[in-house]
């Protein structure tokens, strides 16, 4: 008989179904190792921006839960994923059989080190992630012109271009309406990074909602033309905007302006070298997969 494993699809960084960023979450038993080729095929089958695979560590207990966590897009395994971690934590907190006591911190062991999740009494989940600061790219470098052409903006409308170990971050003036922008995805795919993060402080349609900044994230290089809500991108955005707005150690309200949309609170803990991401999640589908 074929082996069947439960899965849940969870929308992260939203309280509303079919908003935020969907991720499939699959919990494997610790005694059932699955190879990366199979994990990649499963992620391709789900065809979501991320499929998350979790498995308990041998030393995991209900009061000190610890899990291995890996994230796959439909085409590649990635190093860091915020919404996938949020979805994984939401799954573990809502399924008693997962062996996690309510209110305890979960340690996820990942390719980016140990990430910590903790659920608040109101159901929100707090993630502690590494900071991912960007270094400014010289204005004579090709990234500035490539960003302008790919995004369809004037060169003088770009305020900043920076890079970190994964991504390119582009800030544009608040005169640019990034929500209606239609970038050239083909050109974006030539940017040598995991994704391109586009950001500004102002949105005509959201001016009254109190956001400190808004963003969009494009990742055709990783098999995702536009990511709905990208927690890991906010590890760079939190540092960038904390510097500019003088909000170190203060929470900032952020909105990612994809068609699905999503919001989160972000705080740069400068001394600790960490970024705190706070968001909600809601399950929208569940079922079983037949393992090959």
């Amino acid at each position: 008989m074929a082996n069947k494993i439960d899965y849940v699809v969870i929308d992260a960084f939203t309280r509303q179904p079919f908003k935020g960023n969907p991720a499939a979450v699959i919990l494997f038993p610790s005694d059932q190792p699955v190879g990366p080729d199979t994990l990649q095929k499963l992620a391709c089958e789900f065809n979501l921006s991320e499929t998350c695979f979790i498995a308990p560590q041998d030393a995991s207990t209900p009061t000190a839960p610890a899990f291995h966590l890996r994230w796959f897009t439909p085409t590649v395994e990635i190093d860091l994923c915020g919404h996938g971690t949020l979805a994984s934590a939401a799954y573990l907190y809502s399924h008693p059989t997962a062996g996690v006591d309510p209110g305890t911190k979960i340690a996820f062991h990942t390719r980016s080190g140990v990430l910590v999740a903790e659920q608040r009494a109101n159901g929100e989940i707090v993630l502690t992630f590494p900071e991912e600061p960007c270094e400014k790219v010289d204005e004579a470098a090709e990234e500035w012109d490539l960003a302008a052409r790919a995004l369809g903006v004037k060169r003088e409308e770009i305020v900043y271009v920076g890079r970190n170990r994964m991504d390119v971050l582009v800030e544009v003036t608040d005169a640019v309406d990034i929500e209606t922008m239609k970038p050239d995805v083909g050109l974006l795919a030539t940017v040598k990074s995991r994704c391109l993060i586009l950001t500004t402080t102002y949105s005509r349609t959201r001016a009254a909602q109190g956001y400190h900044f808004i963003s969009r994230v494009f990742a055709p290089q990783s098999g995702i033309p536009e990511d709905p809500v990208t927690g890991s991108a906010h590890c760079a955005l939190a540092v960038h905007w904390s510097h500019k707005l003088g909000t170190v150690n203060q929470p900032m309200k952020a909105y990612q302006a994809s068609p699905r949309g999503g919001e989160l609170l972000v705080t740069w803990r400068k001394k600790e070298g960490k970024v705190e991401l706070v968001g909600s999640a809601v399950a929208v589908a569940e079922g079983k997969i037949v393992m090959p």
Side-chain angles (χ1 to χ4, degrees):
M1 181 178 294
N3 185 24
K4 296 183 179 180
I5 300 290
D6 292 335
Y7 75 85
V8 177
V9 176
I10 295 175
D11 290 341
F13 294 117
T14 182
R15 294 181 183 274
Q16 301 178 53
F18 315 120
K19 296 288 188 179
N21 202 351
V25 180
I26 300 169
L27 173 62
F28 287 113
S30 57
D31 60 353
Q32 186 178 336
V34 181
D37 289 346
T38 299
L39 298 181
Q40 187 64 73
K41 289 176 182 176
L42 289 169
C44 183
E45 187 73 15
F46 278 104
N47 200 33
L48 297 172
S49 53
E50 253 74 41
T51 299
C52 312
F53 301 101
I54 48 181
Q57 288 199 314
D58 291 341
S60 181
T61 67
T63 57
F67 293 81
H68 299 287
L69 171 59
R70 299 174 74 171
W71 313 278
F72 286 77
T73 78
T75 60
V76 295
E77 183 175 8
I78 61 172
D79 291 334
L80 187 64
C81 179
H83 89 276
T85 308
L86 182 65
S88 297
Y91 173 91
L92 293 172
Y93 282 125
S94 62
H95 286 73
T97 56
V100 176
D101 285 350
T104 58
K105 292 183 178 181
I106 303 172
F108 290 110
H109 294 255
T110 77
R111 289 171 64 163
S112 289
V114 178
L115 310 176
V116 176
E118 184 175 12
Q119 190 173 46
R120 292 175 171 172
N122 64 1
E124 291 180 333
I125 293 174
V126 183
L127 304 177
T128 303
F129 269 39
E131 64 181 8
E132 297 288 350
C134 292
E135 292 188 7
K136 185 176 181 179
V137 174
D138 189 282
E139 294 189 26
E142 65 176 351
E143 281 95 336
W144 285 72
D145 288 331
L146 178 56
R149 288 187 287 116
L151 296 171
V153 300
K154 298 175 182 177
R155 177 67 166 70
E156 57 268 26
E157 290 176 320
I158 296 180
V159 176
Y160 174 91
V161 177
R163 275 190 175 274
N164 61 22
R165 68 185 179 100
M166 299 182 295
D167 304 325
V168 170
L169 188 151
V170 178
E171 180 192 345
V172 295
T173 70
D174 59 13
V176 177
D177 185 358
I178 71 171
E179 292 199 62
T180 60
M181 182 182 292
K182 299 185 184 301
D184 186 327
V185 175
L187 273 178
L188 286 172
T190 67
V191 177
K192 296 177 181 178
S193 65
R194 179 190 67 155
C195 66
L196 183 144
I197 306 164
L198 172 65
T199 188
T200 189
T201 55
Y202 180 74
S203 165
R204 294 184 183 91
T205 58
R206 306 188 191 279
Q209 294 176 271
Y211 295 110
H212 289 81
F213 62 89
I214 66 170
S215 64
R216 291 175 69 182
V217 175
F218 306 97
Q221 313 91 316
S222 302
I224 308 165
E226 180 169 5
D227 199 34
V229 192
T230 317
S232 60
H234 287 78
C235 296
L237 288 164
V239 178
H240 178 78
W241 286 113
S242 290
H243 276 306
K244 296 201 71 171
L245 302 177
T247 53
V248 176
N249 296 320
Q250 299 176 38
M252 294 180 290
K253 188 178 180 183
Y255 183 78
Q256 191 159 325
S258 68
R260 291 175 64 100
E263 66 177 42
L264 57 164
L265 286 177
V266 301
T267 306
W268 180 33
R269 304 295 185 193
K270 184 177 180 180
K271 287 186 178 180
E272 294 88 352
K274 302 292 185 181
V275 170
E276 186 179 89
L277 310 172
V278 182
S280 300
V282 56
V284 295
E286 60 183 32
K288 293 183 181 293
I289 56 173
V290 180
M291 294 297 295

